[in-house]
Amino acid sequence: MNRQFHIQTLLFLLLFLIFVIGSFFIVSSEIQGYQNIHKSITLEDDLSTPLAYLNTKIKSYDQKDMIEIVTLEKSTCLKLSDNETSTYIFYKDGYLQEVTVSFQYVPSLDEAEKLFALDDMQVTINHQMCAIMVKKSDQMKRLSLYLHG
C-alpha cells in the first residue's frame, strides 16, 4: 500500500507539473500577443499624431496664399503665413520640425523645434489638394486635405 501511495503521489505531481508547464506556455503566448498589439497601437499613434497636428495647423491657415511649399537649405518646407508670422514645418534629422518667425525673416533650419520622431515626411500641394505622407518603422500613413483658400 505504501508503494502504491508513492506512485499515486508521483503521478499526481507529474500531472501538476504538466499543468504548470502548460499554463506557463499559455500565459507566455498571451503576453507576446499583448506586446504585439501594444506595439501596433503605439506605432499607429506615432503616425496619427503628426498627421493630426499638421491637419490642425493647415486648417487654421486655410486662406488664399497662406499655404505654400518652399525650399530652405535644400529641405522642402510647408510654409504657413499670416500677416505677422510665418511657420515653417519640415522633416530633418529624423524629426518633424517647426519654426515660427516674423513674416519677413527667413529662418535657419537649426532654429526649429523638434516635434515628432519620424523616418520620413513628404508634403505636396497640387492645385488645391494638399497631400501629406509620414513614415515610421516601415509603416506609412497619408492625409489628403482640400484647401479652400
Side-chain angles (χ1 to χ4, degrees):
M1 171 135 174
N2 197 12
R3 180 178 166 99
Q4 185 179 6
F5 177 75
H6 289 309
I7 291 174
Q8 286 178 348
T9 304
L10 183 63
L11 288 175
F12 173 75
L13 290 174
L14 184 62
L15 284 173
F16 184 71
L17 179 64
I18 291 171
F19 172 75
V20 168
I21 290 172
S23 297
F24 172 77
F25 283 118
I26 289 171
V27 169
S28 176
S29 69
E30 291 298 319
I31 289 172
Q32 183 65 36
Y34 173 78
Q35 288 174 337
N36 290 340
I37 290 170
H38 183 267
K39 181 180 177 183
S40 173
I41 290 171
T42 302
L43 184 58
E44 180 70 23
D45 284 347
D46 287 348
L47 292 174
S48 297
T49 304
L51 287 177
Y53 179 80
L54 289 169
N55 183 31
T56 303
K57 279 290 219 184
I58 290 171
K59 285 184 177 180
S60 69
Y61 284 88
D62 193 4
Q63 295 179 19
K64 187 170 175 61
D65 298 327
M66 292 180 70
I67 301 171
E68 61 182 317
I69 303 284
V70 297
T71 301
L72 284 178
E73 300 175 19
K74 299 180 184 177
S75 292
T76 302
C77 302
L78 178 64
K79 181 180 177 185
L80 310 170
S81 302
D82 59 22
N83 295 333
E84 299 173 7
T85 62
S86 293
T87 300
Y88 296 84
I89 300 174
F90 57 93
Y91 171 80
K92 183 181 174 191
D93 298 331
Y95 288 92
L96 178 67
Q97 299 185 34
E98 175 184 81
V99 61
T100 301
V101 296
S102 64
F103 185 71
Q104 298 299 325
Y105 180 73
V106 178
S108 166
L109 297 185
D110 295 330
E111 299 174 40
E113 179 181 348
K114 295 177 180 176
L115 300 175
F116 305 102
L118 296 173
D119 292 337
D120 191 20
M121 189 226 22
Q122 297 174 1
V123 179
T124 58
I125 298 176
N126 191 5
H127 300 287
Q128 288 183 297
M129 184 64 69
C130 179
I132 303 166
M133 184 275 304
V134 293
K135 184 177 179 184
K136 184 171 185 178
S137 302
D138 297 327
Q139 296 276 337
M140 181 180 61
K141 200 163 186 177
R142 295 179 188 268
L143 173 68
S144 295
L145 297 168
Y146 177 75
L147 302 176
H148 301 286

